[in-house]
Amino acid sequence: MAHGSKLMALNSQRMSILLPTGQPRIESMRMINITKRFPGVLANDKVNFDVKAGEIHALLGENGAGKSTLMRQLGGLYRPDGGEIHLDGKPVQFKSPADSIQRGIGMIHQHFMLVPTLTVAENVALGLPSSRGLQLDLDKVSQKIEKLAQRYGLKIHPDAYVWQLSVGEQQRVEIMKALYRGAALLALDEPTAVLTPQEVDDLFKVLRGMAADGHALIFISHKLHEIIDISHRVTVMRDSKVVATHPTAGSTKTQLAREMVGREVILQYDKTPYKPGAAMLRIEDLVVMGDRGQKAVHDVSLIVREGEIFGIAGVSGNGQRELAEALTGLRPVQTGRVVVAGQELTHAKPAQRIAAGQSAIPEERMREGVVKEFSVSENLILQDHGHEPYSRNIFLNFDAIAKESKRLIDEFRVKTPSAETPIKNLSGGNIQKVIMAREINRKPRVLICAQPTRGVDIGASEYIHQRLLEQRSAGTATLLISEDLDELLALSDRIAVMFDGKIMSIIDRDKATVERLGLLMAGVKA
Amino acid sequence: MSKINRRKFLTIAGTLSAGAALTACATPAPTAAPAAPGAAAKPAAKQFKIAMVCPSLVNDAAFSQSMYDAIMSVQKEMGGESALMLKYSDNVFQVPNAAAAIRDYAGQGFDLVIAHGTQYGNSLQEIAKDFPNVAFAWGTATDNFESKGLKNVFAYNPKAEEGGYVLGVLAAKMTKSNVVGVCGPVEAGDAKTFVDGFKKGVTDTNKAAKVNVTYTGNFSDVSLMAAAAETHTKAGADILTGSSQSVVGAIGIAKDKKIVWFGTQSNQANLAPETVGASQVYDWSGIVKEMISMINSGKKGTVSFESTLKNGGLKIVYNDKVAISADAKAAAAAATKDIADGKLKALP
Amino acid sequence: MSELFSLTVLTGIAYSGIRLATPYLFAALGEMFAQRSGVVNLGVEGIMLMGAFTAFAMATWTGNLWFALFCAAFIGLLMGLAMSFISVNMQAEQGISGIGMHLFGLGLSSLLFTKFLGSTKAITGFQPIKIPLLGDIPVIGEIFFNHNILVYLAFLLVPIAVWVLNKTTLGLKIRAVGVKPEAADSLGVSVSKIRYLCVSFGGVMAGIAGASLTLALINLFQENMTSGIGFIAVALVYFGGWTPVGVTLGALLFSLVNALQLWIQVLDKDKVIPSDFALMMPYVLTIAVLAFGKRTNQPAALTKPFDRGSH
Ligand SMILES: Nc1ncnc2c1ncn2[C@@H]1O[C@H](COP(=O)(O)OP(=O)(O)O)[C@@H](O)[C@H]1O
Ligand SMILES: [Mg+2]
């Protein structure tokens, strides 16, 4: 509370001060009792949210909590079904993105809104009037971009094409677009999801600077440590409602996680001691081609042992997907060898791999992990329907299938109306649990596991993590490919970092830090 | 979502059916013929019923119109619709569509079904087998399928080279540049024989004259035909001729360049009155009359007719608006007579 | 055949090539704008037919060529608006609705022609205008500066198209909408407006392309007289890599090869080269370029309807 009133005082002092961009500040923005429905979904239920000039207000919530929907109404992309938005105490209505931009609101969407075939300057100038009437004034735009870039510490080349830029650079272009339009309030929807740790640090520097200059900032994330690091206040959303709003100072990760999930969440796992056994998965000089005919996996060699979780870190698009696909037989291997439990499986079909004791949890779970139209129980026996107990001779044993499905649904706490429900109606976390149940039930010796908790809520993630650790104790050799450093650090015994198709380095868990991994992920060899 | 899908479907269906309906309107289906079916129901005397299927519009100023005009003139001569009734489907270039129309007509009690297009031959042969009591005619062709065991097919063929030769004589007499251009469609059928006769007519008459020939590869590409005509004028031609319904493109160019055009198949003078010097006109009325009298006396086929200058199936029609010297006309008349008398071969 | 390389023949080929390129150029430049905004209009051929008919009918009845041209452009505008409505508001499958538009234009132009004109009589179309001074330069003057007004207009359109697309705020919006409509939308650019504008402009150009056939190239109307020009124009947009200059080069190349093959037929007295082979040349060229050309410039959102709700 004390924090809030101090801010108010500061604000009234600065009332007449303009932002460095020359725009007036937005002293306060309030969203009052905002309600938004989609067919069959209540996405925002009487949500109250506010932000003040100079403040970074975090919006925290699990996937599907309604955060993006709330921001899209502020950005004029959706119109509220109920409730009001006030700017500096006056009610406003945004009929279109143009309205909202014009009022000084800048939006950085979860998925970047950049045209890759245009230059940075063109992306910035898009939709703005030109000082030369019909004709573009890109030279002037570039000058202004450079001035703003200097003022806000954003490294940007106005003449570069957006498709040439890294994700971090693209994000700076998004921020530049908002600043250039005179955004006094900037809302960032999960801006760190695709960044390396160093890029996150750079972004935070920029955001702190903007807040200090009097911008109002909304920061959306579900990463607890980031919120504690950057925000002044935090609002937590759960199931389309706001469950808490309070200053960040003094909050702990455990408390925020509890508010977000609605129950106690374990953030630190108890791991049994690391006792690696025999080499179970052996990859030697593997080369795999990508979709564009480039070498996506470039001479990768590694060994995963019994009772070990071997993590692979890296920014998305550095060959992890191709590696996983090659190991599961979905993509041909160019050269090199893959040996599973002593058996050479370099060019084996998926069925041969399963027979050799390998299970897989694929990254594209809807496409490669399940048959969308099939029921939960059918998906549970997908690859094993040809064996006992599910079938005898050529007949399926429906009793056995029903019994086994029920057991797995219970054991893996799959939330589903029934075993006969089509799997596509389940949430992401529950679909992942079905895949886990099927793959782990086979008692694999090697488990290839790609992005197991992407898009999965914290509660389910926690459960999935526990099961992976259980497998580790049971002696399974697990290859865990993930872009989530927290997940890798929590589970892995050793971590390899992939960059540009190559393995930069393999580090033991106790020597791995976020900073060290981050540098390697950016291609910098320490 | 489902709402959008239905909307989408309706839009697409709407656009497509509107387009299809309009196409159908423009090409009268068997039911939309000039003569009302009701009129056919109560004939005073015995009404002779003809059905015709042709590849282009009956007012194409060329091939299809030649047959349409012939039947209309026979109708007039016989005493109007009560004596001779015509139903037709024009603009049916696609053979499968034409075959369906021919089969429909054959089943509807027509006395004579005319398949007016060389490309319809194969289909006609099969259909005629299934309707031995209906008389069929097809052209331009020389094969009446008697050798295939069919007794109910007539064939008719214009000796287009005859008129071609005569027009060639006129061109040779009139050209000043000694270059003559020919805009051909496809190197086949009466188009080819016309071109060959024309060439011979020019070179027999004027040794110094050059004849340049182009083909566009189809019967309908008007703009390529125009380009061909233009190329001929660039190459120095001051007289042009050509065959098929696509020659309107070439006639437009001839008019633009103020040079003389010679037409064939129909009288093309009305397309460009100050440009078309003369036309070889196909007059099928003699053949139509002959077929009617044969059918009435019980003969349903096995005859191959030929249109010639001699039997009046081919005529040279001058256009008074274009000045042609008496000398040229006299040479043309002499050539006509020699061909009719068999003293002169129109083909090389 | 050696005359092929004589000055007269080469001049003739170049002159005809430029003249023949006119309808392709109008239609393809218009279609290029539609496609740059993300909409494929396969109905160009149908709109051309309506434009050709309208222009011919108006020229026959009023004798005023400019009024006839205006009417053709107006019909093109109406059909372009219809296509915009179908693809933008109804979000219909663009390939199928374009074919529908083609059938509609084909059917309606034939119907109206039979109903209102019946038999045709050639009109006196736009006559060549020799540009003072430039037209007197030997060879060059003959090739470039002795054409009818529509030819000049078509080629004048090329630099204008380049300028609009690359140097104006409108062009920037068009380029953005065709690649990433949601990005343009998030910046307050109306995706619908831009697409309406581009597709309707394409319609106007297709109408004028059709009129250029009846008012300048052929001077007569016949049903289905376009015989594929509209579809070739769509192919030329791909051929030209979605740029005005590329499209122009494509149109010129196609027409020059067409002019060349006609000259080969004229000069090849002994028929060394069969006419069928000569006739294939422009099409073989088109297919080869389409098959081997790279598609890197294709607007990413081409044929994809935009709907904010689904993002
Ligand atoms: N355009 C839409 N149409 C239908 N449902 C939507 C739409 N956008 C979001 N939703 C639903 O609204 C809920 C909230 O989504 P969202 O705001 O994206 O959550 P968050 O950003 O917190 O992850 C989810 O159940 C989601 O499926
Ligand atoms: Mg979201």
Side-chain angles (χ1 to χ4, degrees):
Chain A
M1 275 289 112
H3 183 83
S5 54
K6 210 169 93 197
L7 253 165
M8 294 271 275
L10 262 167
N11 284 338
S12 50
Q13 260 175 31
R14 284 186 192 164
M15 232 9 166
S16 57
I17 303 170
L18 295 180
L19 292 165
T21 54
Q23 299 290 322
R25 306 173 5 155
I26 293 179
E27 296 303 338
S28 76
M29 187 288 296
R30 297 178 70 85
M31 300 179 87
I32 304 161
N33 283 333
I34 297 288
T35 299
K36 178 71 190 170
R37 274 182 208 89
F38 293 114
V41 185
L42 180 59
N44 286 160
D45 185 2
K46 297 210 181 72
V47 172
N48 286 294
F49 183 82
D50 73 290
V51 63
K52 298 174 184 65
E55 179 189 39
I56 302 179
H57 190 159
L59 185 54
L60 171 67
E62 300 240 83
N63 276 314
K67 309 180 296 289
S68 296
T69 303
L70 187 69
M71 285 307 113
R72 280 163 167 259
Q73 295 169 89
L74 181 59
L77 285 144
Y78 299 153
R79 297 178 68 178
D81 295 325
E84 288 186 353
I85 301 175
H86 289 193
L87 285 184
D88 293 333
K90 289 185 223 60
V92 286
Q93 279 189 357
F94 300 133
K95 297 198 180 71
S96 70
D99 272 0
S100 154
I101 292 168
Q102 210 241 322
R103 295 278 191 172
I105 289 169
M107 215 22 71
I108 293 176
H109 297 274
Q110 204 163 348
H111 305 286
F112 291 156
M113 295 290 191
L114 294 172
V115 185
T117 50
L118 301 183
T119 65
V120 170
E122 285 175 325
N123 267 283
V124 171
L126 178 59
L128 289 176
S130 156
S131 63
R132 297 199 188 105
L134 292 180
Q135 204 168 347
L136 284 168
D137 55 351
L138 289 177
D139 48 341
K140 290 191 183 172
V141 173
S142 297
Q143 279 170 18
K144 195 172 159 196
I145 289 175
E146 297 202 344
K147 243 170 63 193
L148 282 172
Q150 216 162 19
R151 177 67 188 74
Y152 285 90
L154 291 162
K155 275 169 276 166
I156 280 181
H157 300 290
D159 297 330
Y161 281 94
V162 163
W163 59 264
Q164 299 170 318
L165 304 183
S166 74
V167 182
E169 288 169 314
Q170 291 188 22
Q171 190 164 59
R172 294 203 281 276
V173 179
E174 285 283 25
I175 295 175
M176 178 56 68
K177 269 164 66 184
L179 286 174
Y180 193 95
R181 283 168 172 70
L185 184 157
L186 190 63
L188 302 104
D189 195 349
E190 309 221 14
T192 59
V194 285
L195 301 186
T196 63
Q198 276 74 20
E199 286 174 326
V200 171
D201 283 348
D202 290 344
L203 173 68
F204 282 7
K205 264 186 224 131
V206 173
L207 296 185
R208 287 198 186 96
M210 287 177 71
D213 283 338
H215 290 272
L217 298 176
I218 302 172
F219 178 87
I220 300 180
S221 180
H222 54 227
K223 292 187 187 161
L224 304 173
H225 63 87
E226 288 177 359
I227 283 177
I228 289 175
D229 192 6
I230 187 89
S231 70
H232 301 127
R233 267 199 303 162
V234 57
T235 288
V236 185
M237 282 186 77
R238 185 168 75 227
D239 293 340
S240 66
K241 292 190 194 56
V242 168
V243 292
T245 300
H246 50 73
T248 314
S251 308
T252 63
K253 279 199 208 177
T254 322
Q255 177 202 348
L256 290 176
R258 191 190 324 111
E259 286 170 348
M260 174 160 80
V261 182
R263 63 177 165 79
E264 283 304 326
V265 180
I266 300 161
L267 296 173
Q268 285 281 290
Y269 303 114
D270 294 328
K271 276 165 73 173
T272 52
Y274 177 39
K275 279 184 286 186
M280 271 297 132
L281 172 65
R282 188 188 289 276
I283 300 173
E284 292 169 6
D285 301 322
L286 197 69
V287 175
V288 181
M289 292 307 186
D291 293 331
R292 279 170 289 121
Q294 83 288 19
K295 272 190 187 174
V297 176
H298 207 311
D299 293 333
V300 164
S301 300
L302 55 87
I303 291 172
V304 187
R305 300 179 178 280
E306 272 178 339
E308 172 181 59
I309 296 182
F310 187 101
I312 294 201
V315 177
S316 123
N318 276 293
Q320 304 97 306
R321 185 167 61 85
E322 289 83 357
L323 174 62
E325 285 176 357
L327 293 180
T328 46
L330 295 173
R331 187 180 281 272
V333 168
Q334 215 64 25
T335 55
R337 254 158 53 97
V338 177
V339 181
V340 174
Q343 205 175 332
E344 157 130 22
L345 293 180
T346 314
H347 303 289
K349 297 202 174 56
Q352 286 168 280
R353 293 173 201 264
I354 290 171
Q358 176 181 305
S359 279
I361 294 167
E363 173 175 350
E364 295 283 341
R365 72 181 72 103
M366 284 313 271
R367 222 176 49 217
E368 287 155 13
V370 294
V371 181
K372 275 190 284 195
E373 276 68 34
F374 281 19
S375 70
V376 171
S377 77
E378 282 165 332
N379 270 294
L380 278 168
I381 63 157
L382 211 50
Q383 283 120 351
D384 306 300
H385 58 259
H387 318 292
E388 302 236 15
Y390 303 137
S391 71
R392 200 161 290 149
N393 305 321
I394 62 163
F395 300 104
L396 288 175
N397 182 343
F398 288 103
D399 281 348
I401 292 172
K403 231 171 83 191
E404 188 66 4
S405 317
K406 172 136 191 1
R407 186 182 72 76
L408 289 172
I409 287 170
D410 288 347
E411 188 186 326
F412 282 79
R413 295 196 232 141
V414 179
K415 261 193 247 162
T416 172
S418 80
E420 307 318 318
T421 307
I423 195 143
K424 62 177 180 200
N425 294 355
L426 270 53
S427 75
N430 282 300
I431 292 173
Q432 192 68 316
K433 284 185 195 168
V434 169
I435 298 172
M436 290 278 294
R438 181 182 69 212
E439 298 297 319
I440 287 178
N441 193 40
R442 222 182 267 141
K443 304 205 169 49
R445 306 177 73 179
V446 170
L447 180 61
I448 312 290
C449 188
Q451 320 291 355
T453 59
R454 179 190 281 170
V456 171
D457 54 63
I458 283 209
S461 299
E462 177 202 352
Y463 182 78
I464 289 165
H465 289 163
Q466 300 279 19
R467 299 301 301 221
L468 289 176
L469 288 173
E470 252 173 63
Q471 286 303 303
R472 172 177 174 271
S473 307
T476 305
T478 303
L479 185 72
L480 172 65
I481 300 173
S482 177
E483 281 157 32
D484 182 346
L485 282 187
D486 295 338
E487 176 172 77
L488 286 171
L489 289 168
L491 302 181
S492 313
D493 300 302
R494 289 188 295 153
I495 300 175
V497 179
M498 264 184 102
F499 176 77
D500 209 9
K502 298 193 192 83
I503 291 207
M504 295 291 290
S505 178
I506 299 178
I507 311 174
D508 288 338
R509 167 64 188 94
D510 45 17
K511 297 200 186 71
T513 60
V514 172
E515 289 69 35
R516 191 161 169 209
L517 293 175
L519 281 175
L520 289 165
M521 279 160 71
V524 183
K525 241 178 182 146
Chain B
M1 202 54 206
S2 69
K3 215 158 107 196
I4 288 178
N5 276 339
R6 217 174 79 210
R7 266 196 358 224
K8 274 189 203 172
F9 173 76
L10 287 175
T11 332
I12 294 166
T15 328
L16 279 177
S17 56
L22 284 167
T23 318
C25 287
T27 45
T31 45
K42 40 180 187 336
K46 193 196 166 299
Q47 187 198 33
F48 195 89
K49 293 194 275 183
I50 297 181
M52 172 174 81
V53 178
C54 53
S56 46
L57 289 175
V58 294
N59 59 3
D60 67 349
F63 184 67
S64 296
Q65 183 164 1
S66 67
M67 182 56 86
Y68 178 78
D69 286 351
I71 298 172
M72 285 295 120
S73 87
V74 174
Q75 185 186 60
K76 211 162 144 198
E77 210 175 295
M78 286 172 66
E81 258 200 63
S82 53
L84 175 63
M85 181 262 261
L86 170 69
K87 266 193 181 187
Y88 64 87
S89 298
D90 61 351
N91 209 13
V92 199
F93 190 78
Q94 298 296 328
V95 174
N97 298 343
I102 294 168
R103 194 173 277 281
D104 278 353
Y105 285 131
Q108 284 171 19
F110 283 86
D111 300 300
L112 172 62
V113 178
I114 303 176
H116 190 53
T118 313
Q119 68 263 48
Y120 303 150
N122 285 336
S123 309
L124 185 78
Q125 195 188 332
E126 288 178 11
I127 298 167
K129 215 177 289 170
D130 299 340
F131 295 91
N133 294 322
V134 179
F136 295 88
W138 79 293
T140 57
T142 49
D143 185 0
N144 57 44
F145 301 132
E146 197 183 359
S147 57
K148 309 264 161 52
L150 290 178
K151 298 251 177 292
N152 58 337
V153 179
F154 295 107
Y156 54 88
N157 191 48
K159 299 199 79 172
E161 65 273 21
E162 296 189 356
Y165 188 96
V166 176
L167 295 176
V169 171
L170 284 171
K173 288 277 180 191
M174 292 169 73
T175 180
K176 298 198 177 61
S177 63
N178 276 344
V179 181
V180 177
V182 181
C183 306
V186 177
E187 229 177 322
D190 59 334
K192 182 171 165 41
T193 56
F194 172 78
V195 172
D196 290 346
F198 183 88
K199 263 164 79 175
K200 187 156 186 278
V202 174
T203 41
D204 282 1
T205 314
N206 180 351
K207 293 273 170 313
K210 268 200 304 189
V211 184
N212 294 331
V213 183
T214 55
Y215 286 99
T216 57
N218 68 69
F219 293 101
S220 59
D221 195 333
V222 183
S223 61
L224 193 56
M225 203 47 118
E230 189 174 286
T231 307
H232 285 303
T233 63
K234 283 272 162 192
D238 60 352
I239 309 269
L240 291 180
T241 188
S243 171
S244 94
Q245 61 268 29
S246 59
V247 292
V248 293
I251 296 174
I253 295 293
K255 176 186 142 89
D256 230 33
K257 307 274 176 196
K258 303 198 167 50
I259 59 177
V260 174
W261 171 268
F262 288 118
T264 183
Q265 296 182 334
S266 268
N267 187 349
Q268 293 169 339
N270 56 338
L271 286 171
E274 60 280 17
T275 303
V276 179
S279 305
Q280 162 175 246
V281 175
Y282 291 180
D283 182 356
W284 306 108
S285 55
I287 291 173
V288 171
K289 274 188 281 187
E290 244 184 283
M291 287 195 290
I292 291 174
S293 76
M294 282 181 175
I295 292 165
N296 280 337
S297 63
K299 193 173 170 72
K300 288 187 184 329
T302 68
V303 180
S304 291
F305 297 99
E306 266 191 344
S307 293
T308 60
L309 288 169
K310 188 178 182 182
N311 67 19
L314 302 175
K315 290 193 180 99
I316 302 297
V317 181
Y318 289 98
N319 174 17
D320 298 339
K321 295 212 179 73
V322 176
I324 298 177
S325 69
D327 168 45
K329 283 190 179 173
T336 308
K337 188 168 181 311
D338 284 352
I339 292 169
D341 295 348
K343 278 193 237 153
L344 183 67
K345 285 254 166 291
L347 279 180
Chain C
M1 279 300 273
S2 58
E3 304 107 288
L4 188 57
F5 301 104
S6 74
L7 192 60
T8 358
V9 172
L10 292 178
T11 314
I13 291 175
Y15 177 84
S16 302
I18 287 175
R19 196 171 128 98
L20 287 176
T22 313
Y24 294 101
L25 206 48
F26 278 122
L29 281 176
E31 174 73 5
M32 186 211 68
F33 274 96
Q35 294 203 10
R36 283 304 285 261
S37 81
V39 180
V40 166
N41 181 3
L42 280 187
V44 175
E45 175 99 353
I47 303 177
M48 280 183 72
L49 279 166
M50 280 303 293
F53 167 74
T54 309
F56 182 71
M58 290 303 155
T60 302
W61 292 331
T62 69
N64 185 334
L65 296 178
W66 287 105
F67 177 70
L69 185 68
F70 173 81
C71 290
F74 184 73
I75 289 289
L77 175 68
L78 292 185
M79 292 180 77
L81 283 171
M83 186 65 200
S84 313
F85 179 74
I86 291 167
S87 53
V88 176
N89 298 76
M90 294 289 137
Q91 310 200 344
E93 215 286 315
Q94 291 171 9
I96 296 174
S97 34
I99 300 288
M101 189 60 72
H102 166 221
L103 289 178
F104 177 83
L106 171 64
L108 189 61
S109 60
S110 306
L111 178 69
L112 295 175
F113 176 61
T114 343
K115 277 264 176 316
F116 293 111
L117 287 171
S119 66
T120 38
K121 189 160 164 300
I123 57 159
T124 306
F126 286 108
Q127 296 301 308
I129 302 169
K130 191 166 166 187
I131 298 200
L133 297 178
L134 289 174
D136 293 325
I137 307 172
V139 186
I140 303 283
E142 199 175 327
I143 295 175
F144 296 105
F145 303 112
N146 203 354
H147 287 281
N148 68 68
I149 185 77
L150 294 185
V151 177
Y152 295 131
L153 282 181
F155 282 89
L156 202 61
L157 207 59
V158 180
I160 297 178
V162 172
W163 180 74
V164 169
L165 203 56
N166 298 314
K167 299 287 176 203
T168 67
T169 52
L170 174 66
L172 182 59
K173 289 179 193 172
I174 295 171
R175 284 183 284 149
V177 163
V179 173
K180 197 150 180 189
E182 56 272 30
D185 176 63
S186 75
L187 293 178
V189 175
S190 167
V191 175
S192 311
K193 263 190 214 155
I194 296 293
R195 289 191 170 169
Y196 256 86
L197 185 73
C198 290
V199 177
S200 304
F201 174 74
V204 170
M205 286 299 115
I208 293 178
S212 76
L213 290 176
T214 43
L215 299 183
L217 212 54
I218 297 166
N219 302 331
L220 270 162
F221 180 84
Q222 195 177 50
E223 61 147 353
N224 199 14
M225 69 186 291
T226 47
S227 55
I229 294 178
F231 289 104
I232 299 270
V234 176
L236 284 174
V237 176
Y238 285 74
F239 186 114
W242 291 269
T243 64
V245 172
V247 166
T248 309
L249 290 179
L252 275 175
L253 187 61
F254 186 81
S255 325
L256 282 172
V257 173
N258 233 332
L260 172 71
Q261 65 92 0
L262 286 168
W263 271 102
I264 289 178
Q265 288 197 50
V266 166
L267 299 175
D268 181 20
K269 290 275 178 330
D270 313 320
K271 294 280 166 237
V272 183
I273 302 167
S275 66
D276 298 324
F277 180 79
L279 281 165
M280 271 165 29
M281 286 167 49
Y283 299 95
V284 169
L285 178 81
T286 311
I287 292 170
V289 175
L290 286 182
F292 298 112
K294 48 186 183 357
R295 289 248 194 131
T296 43
N297 284 336
Q298 179 164 351
L302 195 61
T303 75
K304 298 197 183 78
F306 174 71
D307 184 359
R308 190 187 290 162
S310 64
H311 292 281

